[in-house]
Short mmCIF file of all heavy atoms in Angstrom, two decimals:
data_model
loop_
_atom_site.label_atom_id
_atom_site.label_comp_id
_atom_site.label_asym_id
_atom_site.label_seq_id
_atom_site.Cartn_x
_atom_site.Cartn_y
_atom_site.Cartn_z
N VAL A 225 -11.31 23.28 -20.23
CA VAL A 225 -11.25 24.36 -19.20
C VAL A 225 -12.58 25.08 -18.92
O VAL A 225 -13.21 25.53 -19.86
CB VAL A 225 -10.10 25.40 -19.49
CG1 VAL A 225 -10.16 26.46 -18.53
CG2 VAL A 225 -8.85 24.67 -19.44
N ALA A 226 -12.89 25.04 -17.72
CA ALA A 226 -14.17 25.78 -17.27
C ALA A 226 -13.88 27.29 -17.23
O ALA A 226 -12.85 27.71 -16.88
CB ALA A 226 -14.56 25.32 -15.81
N GLY A 227 -14.95 28.01 -17.62
CA GLY A 227 -14.80 29.48 -17.65
C GLY A 227 -14.78 30.14 -16.33
O GLY A 227 -14.10 31.13 -15.99
N GLY A 228 -15.47 29.50 -15.32
CA GLY A 228 -15.57 29.98 -13.98
C GLY A 228 -16.33 31.26 -13.87
O GLY A 228 -17.31 31.55 -14.64
N LYS A 229 -16.02 32.13 -12.87
CA LYS A 229 -16.81 33.31 -12.55
C LYS A 229 -16.64 34.27 -13.65
O LYS A 229 -15.73 34.27 -14.52
CB LYS A 229 -16.31 33.90 -11.23
CG LYS A 229 -14.85 34.52 -11.34
CD LYS A 229 -14.45 34.95 -10.08
CE LYS A 229 -12.99 35.61 -10.07
NZ LYS A 229 -12.58 36.31 -8.78
N LYS A 230 -17.55 35.26 -13.78
CA LYS A 230 -17.63 36.24 -14.79
C LYS A 230 -16.40 37.16 -14.68
O LYS A 230 -16.07 37.72 -13.62
CB LYS A 230 -18.91 37.08 -14.72
CG LYS A 230 -18.94 38.26 -15.70
CD LYS A 230 -18.98 37.81 -17.15
CE LYS A 230 -19.20 38.92 -18.14
NZ LYS A 230 -18.05 39.81 -18.31
N LEU A 231 -15.63 37.31 -15.82
CA LEU A 231 -14.52 38.22 -15.82
C LEU A 231 -14.74 39.31 -16.92
O LEU A 231 -15.62 39.08 -17.79
CB LEU A 231 -13.21 37.40 -16.22
CG LEU A 231 -12.69 36.25 -15.37
CD1 LEU A 231 -11.68 35.48 -16.10
CD2 LEU A 231 -12.24 36.82 -14.02
N PRO A 232 -13.98 40.40 -16.80
CA PRO A 232 -14.07 41.32 -17.94
C PRO A 232 -13.68 40.57 -19.28
O PRO A 232 -12.84 39.63 -19.23
CB PRO A 232 -12.93 42.33 -17.59
CG PRO A 232 -12.85 42.32 -16.06
CD PRO A 232 -13.17 40.84 -15.75
N GLU A 233 -14.27 41.02 -20.31
CA GLU A 233 -14.05 40.15 -21.56
C GLU A 233 -12.67 39.98 -21.94
O GLU A 233 -12.27 38.82 -22.42
CB GLU A 233 -14.90 40.82 -22.71
CG GLU A 233 -16.43 40.60 -22.68
CD GLU A 233 -17.22 41.19 -21.56
OE1 GLU A 233 -16.61 42.02 -21.01
OE2 GLU A 233 -18.40 40.84 -21.45
N ASN A 234 -11.88 41.01 -21.88
CA ASN A 234 -10.45 40.83 -22.27
C ASN A 234 -9.74 39.82 -21.38
O ASN A 234 -8.94 39.02 -21.89
CB ASN A 234 -9.71 42.18 -22.23
CG ASN A 234 -9.71 42.81 -20.93
OD1 ASN A 234 -10.62 42.62 -20.12
ND2 ASN A 234 -8.65 43.51 -20.58
N GLU A 235 -10.10 39.78 -20.08
CA GLU A 235 -9.46 38.83 -19.15
C GLU A 235 -9.93 37.41 -19.45
O GLU A 235 -9.20 36.49 -19.41
CB GLU A 235 -9.68 39.23 -17.73
CG GLU A 235 -9.01 40.56 -17.34
CD GLU A 235 -9.38 40.90 -15.74
OE1 GLU A 235 -9.77 39.89 -15.07
OE2 GLU A 235 -9.32 42.09 -15.46
N ALA A 236 -11.21 37.30 -19.77
CA ALA A 236 -11.73 35.95 -20.10
C ALA A 236 -11.11 35.45 -21.31
O ALA A 236 -10.70 34.16 -21.43
CB ALA A 236 -13.23 35.99 -20.23
N LEU A 237 -10.83 36.29 -22.33
CA LEU A 237 -10.16 35.87 -23.57
C LEU A 237 -8.74 35.47 -23.41
O LEU A 237 -8.25 34.49 -24.03
CB LEU A 237 -10.40 36.91 -24.66
CG LEU A 237 -11.88 37.09 -25.16
CD1 LEU A 237 -11.93 38.32 -26.01
CD2 LEU A 237 -12.32 35.86 -25.89
N THR A 238 -8.14 36.24 -22.43
CA THR A 238 -6.64 35.88 -22.10
C THR A 238 -6.60 34.57 -21.50
O THR A 238 -5.76 33.65 -21.73
CB THR A 238 -6.08 36.93 -21.21
OG1 THR A 238 -6.06 38.19 -21.95
CG2 THR A 238 -4.74 36.57 -20.82
N MET A 239 -7.49 34.23 -20.47
CA MET A 239 -7.52 32.96 -19.84
C MET A 239 -7.88 31.85 -20.86
O MET A 239 -7.23 30.79 -20.80
CB MET A 239 -8.70 32.97 -18.84
CG MET A 239 -8.76 31.66 -17.97
SD MET A 239 -9.88 30.48 -18.59
CE MET A 239 -11.45 31.23 -18.29
N ALA A 240 -8.72 32.11 -21.81
CA ALA A 240 -9.06 31.10 -22.85
C ALA A 240 -7.81 30.87 -23.69
O ALA A 240 -7.51 29.71 -24.04
CB ALA A 240 -10.16 31.63 -23.76
N TYR A 241 -7.14 31.98 -24.05
CA TYR A 241 -5.91 31.75 -24.84
C TYR A 241 -4.76 31.01 -24.21
O TYR A 241 -4.17 30.00 -24.70
CB TYR A 241 -5.38 33.13 -25.36
CG TYR A 241 -4.14 33.14 -26.13
CD1 TYR A 241 -4.01 32.50 -27.33
CD2 TYR A 241 -2.87 33.64 -25.49
CE1 TYR A 241 -2.86 32.65 -28.12
CE2 TYR A 241 -1.70 33.58 -26.27
CZ TYR A 241 -1.70 33.11 -27.61
OH TYR A 241 -0.52 33.08 -28.22
N ARG A 242 -4.61 31.36 -22.94
CA ARG A 242 -3.56 30.71 -22.13
C ARG A 242 -3.93 29.18 -21.94
O ARG A 242 -2.97 28.25 -21.99
CB ARG A 242 -3.39 31.38 -20.78
CG ARG A 242 -2.71 32.72 -20.91
CD ARG A 242 -2.57 33.43 -19.54
NE ARG A 242 -1.91 34.73 -19.72
CZ ARG A 242 -1.83 35.66 -18.76
NH1 ARG A 242 -2.38 35.41 -17.58
NH2 ARG A 242 -1.16 36.79 -18.95
N SER A 243 -5.21 28.87 -21.76
CA SER A 243 -5.62 27.50 -21.58
C SER A 243 -5.39 26.68 -22.89
O SER A 243 -4.80 25.56 -22.76
CB SER A 243 -7.09 27.45 -21.37
OG SER A 243 -7.43 28.10 -20.15
N MET A 244 -5.69 27.25 -24.04
CA MET A 244 -5.39 26.56 -25.26
C MET A 244 -3.92 26.41 -25.51
O MET A 244 -3.46 25.33 -25.94
CB MET A 244 -6.09 27.26 -26.44
CG MET A 244 -7.60 27.23 -26.28
SD MET A 244 -8.41 25.70 -26.08
CE MET A 244 -7.99 24.83 -27.64
N GLN A 245 -3.17 27.41 -25.28
CA GLN A 245 -1.65 27.41 -25.44
C GLN A 245 -1.03 26.41 -24.44
O GLN A 245 -0.08 25.73 -24.76
CB GLN A 245 -1.07 28.78 -25.10
CG GLN A 245 -1.34 29.79 -26.14
CD GLN A 245 -0.68 29.43 -27.58
OE1 GLN A 245 -1.38 29.06 -28.47
NE2 GLN A 245 0.61 29.54 -27.55
N GLY A 246 -1.70 26.10 -23.33
CA GLY A 246 -1.17 25.21 -22.37
C GLY A 246 -1.59 23.78 -22.60
O GLY A 246 -1.22 22.86 -21.78
N GLY A 247 -2.42 23.55 -23.71
CA GLY A 247 -2.71 22.14 -24.05
C GLY A 247 -4.16 21.78 -23.88
O GLY A 247 -4.55 20.60 -24.12
N ALA A 248 -5.01 22.66 -23.40
CA ALA A 248 -6.43 22.26 -23.27
C ALA A 248 -6.97 21.93 -24.68
O ALA A 248 -6.50 22.50 -25.67
CB ALA A 248 -7.21 23.48 -22.70
N ARG A 249 -8.00 21.08 -24.67
CA ARG A 249 -8.62 20.77 -25.98
C ARG A 249 -9.87 21.41 -26.16
O ARG A 249 -10.68 21.16 -27.11
CB ARG A 249 -8.73 19.17 -26.17
CG ARG A 249 -7.55 18.48 -26.04
CD ARG A 249 -6.36 18.91 -26.94
NE ARG A 249 -6.78 19.01 -28.35
CZ ARG A 249 -5.95 19.19 -29.39
NH1 ARG A 249 -4.69 19.33 -29.09
NH2 ARG A 249 -6.33 19.21 -30.64
N GLY A 250 -10.22 22.42 -25.29
CA GLY A 250 -11.39 23.09 -25.45
C GLY A 250 -11.82 23.97 -24.23
O GLY A 250 -11.00 24.00 -23.27
N LEU A 251 -12.83 24.76 -24.34
CA LEU A 251 -13.41 25.55 -23.25
C LEU A 251 -14.85 25.36 -23.05
O LEU A 251 -15.58 25.11 -24.00
CB LEU A 251 -13.14 27.06 -23.64
CG LEU A 251 -11.69 27.53 -23.80
CD1 LEU A 251 -11.62 28.75 -24.60
CD2 LEU A 251 -11.03 27.66 -22.43
N ASP A 252 -15.21 25.27 -21.83
CA ASP A 252 -16.65 25.13 -21.46
C ASP A 252 -17.02 26.37 -20.75
O ASP A 252 -16.95 26.52 -19.57
CB ASP A 252 -16.89 23.93 -20.58
CG ASP A 252 -18.34 23.68 -20.37
OD1 ASP A 252 -19.18 24.13 -21.14
OD2 ASP A 252 -18.68 22.73 -19.49
N MET A 253 -17.44 27.37 -21.61
CA MET A 253 -17.82 28.70 -21.04
C MET A 253 -19.30 28.82 -20.72
O MET A 253 -20.12 28.46 -21.50
CB MET A 253 -17.44 29.74 -22.12
CG MET A 253 -15.94 30.02 -22.33
SD MET A 253 -15.27 30.85 -20.90
CE MET A 253 -13.66 31.41 -21.51
#
Side-chain angles (χ1 to χ4, degrees):
V225 170
K229 67 180 181 180
K230 176 68 174 71
L231 299 170
E233 278 71 11
N234 62 326
E235 293 181 22
L237 292 171
T238 295
M239 185 270 289
Y241 176 67
R242 289 176 178 170
S243 298
M244 298 306 295
Q245 290 295 108
R249 301 310 304 191
L251 297 160
D252 190 11
M253 288 287 194

